[in-house]
Amino acid sequence: MVRHTAYEPGTPSWADVTSPDPDAARAFYGALFGWTGEPATEPEARGYTVMMLGDAAVAGLAPTFGEMPALWSAYVTVADVDGAVAAAADAGGQVLMGAMDVLDAGRMAVIADPSGAALSLWQPGYHIGAEVRMEPNALCWVELNTRQPDVAVSFFNTLFGWQANRVGGPVEEGGPGFDYLMLQSGDTPVGGIITMDEHWPAEVPPHWMVYFAVGDCDAAAARVTELGGEVCVPPTDIPPGRFAVVDDPAGATFTIIALNPEMFG
C-alpha cells in the first residue's frame, strides 16, 4: 500500500460515517472492507472511531445524536480552517458548524456550497486524513451531486481554486452517454460533479458521494446485501470502472467501484 503522510490544501482527504448503532456499523464495515477499530476513550471524542485497514487509518465512524441521520461525509484539507470558513461565507456558502478543535487531531468545520451540499473542512494536527487511498477497501473518490453545477463550480473555484473540466460525452449510437464535470486542483483530479436532473427524486438533496475501491464490484454488492445493507444502483460499467451505489444497514449511502486498470493502473 502507498502510505500518505500529508495532503495539499484543497485535496479531499477523509470521510466518515454516522450511525445510530456504531457497534453494528463497525461489524458491517469490518465484514465488507476488513476494517477494524475501537471507539476513542476520551469523553471529548464522543465515541468516535478511526477505522483501520491493517495499520493505516482509512475512515471514521461516529454515533448519531438526536435527529442526526446516518450518512457519509467528505472532508477537504485546508491550511487555515477559520479562514476557509470566512471565505466560504463570503462566497455565498453556509456555515453549518463553525471551526472547532478536535482534541489535538486537527481543527474542523462544516460548510455548504450555495447549492446546499454539506462538506467538511479539515486542518490537520496529528491526523492527516486517510493514510491509504486508491487501494481496495479504501477511499478513492468524492463526487458532488447537485442541481446547480455552475453555482457549485464558481463557489469551489473561489474557495479552493478548483477548475472544472467536462469529460466524456456521447458514445456509440444506442449506448449511454458519459457526461461529467471533473474537478481539478492544478493538474490533479480531486473530485467530480454530477448534475441532478429530472430523473432524480425531488426529495433527494444535493450531497457529496464518497467512493471506496473494491476488487470485485459484483461480489462486494452481494456482500452488502448479505450483511443487511441494500443495493440502490446495481453493478454498472462506466469508463472509470464497475460501480454500485449501496446503503449500509442504517441507511448511509456510499459507492463501491472496481477501478478500471486501464485508467488507474
Side-chain angles (χ1 to χ4, degrees):
M1 294 188 295
V2 177
R3 297 292 288 260
H4 289 265
T5 58
Y7 287 93
E8 290 294 323
T11 305
S13 57
W14 187 246
D16 61 18
V17 63
T18 53
S19 175
D21 188 342
D23 290 337
R26 273 188 289 274
F28 172 83
Y29 289 105
L32 180 63
F33 291 138
W35 295 351
T36 60
E38 294 296 331
T41 57
E42 302 93 339
E44 301 90 342
R46 305 184 76 181
Y48 195 89
T49 302
V50 174
M51 303 298 290
M52 309 292 289
L53 182 62
D55 63 350
V58 286
L61 166 63
T64 55
F65 296 96
E67 299 299 317
M68 290 174 60
L71 55 79
W72 276 97
S73 299
Y75 289 67
V76 173
T77 289
V78 295
D80 174 6
V81 73
D82 296 81
V85 166
D90 288 345
Q94 296 175 267
V95 179
L96 303 181
M97 186 182 79
M100 59 173 284
D101 289 324
V102 183
L103 302 175
D104 54 352
R107 190 164 170 81
M108 70 168 292
V110 184
I111 63 168
D113 68 68
S115 78
L119 180 67
S120 296
L121 306 176
W122 183 251
Q123 179 184 331
Y126 75 78
H127 176 71
I128 60 103
E131 294 174 325
V132 175
R133 283 199 54 172
M134 302 301 291
E135 303 274 357
N137 304 314
L139 182 68
C140 65
W141 194 242
V142 297
E143 185 175 83
L144 173 62
N145 296 275
T146 177
R147 295 179 177 85
Q148 298 177 282
D150 294 341
V151 170
V153 165
S154 177
F155 174 81
F156 287 114
N157 178 258
T158 299
L159 186 59
F160 298 135
W162 289 351
Q163 300 292 326
N165 299 293
R166 192 170 299 279
V167 298
V171 295
E172 297 297 327
E173 184 175 352
F178 181 67
D179 192 16
Y180 195 80
L181 283 174
M182 184 80 74
L183 296 169
Q184 294 188 192
S185 179
D187 295 330
T188 303
V190 292
I193 294 180
I194 287 181
T195 300
M196 300 172 70
D197 59 18
E198 68 278 4
H199 300 293
W200 288 71
E203 65 271 16
V204 176
H207 60 278
W208 283 87
M209 176 70 77
V210 297
Y211 282 62
F212 295 98
V214 293
D216 183 327
C217 181
D218 295 76
R223 186 66 172 140
V224 166
T225 301
E226 292 171 2
L227 294 168
E230 181 179 354
V231 176
C232 307
V233 177
T236 303
D237 290 318
I238 55 174
R242 187 165 175 82
F243 84 102
V245 181
V246 300
D247 284 351
D248 72 15
T253 303
F254 60 102
T255 295
I256 51 177
I257 184 167
L259 296 169
N260 179 355
E262 295 182 2
M263 293 183 68
F264 297 97

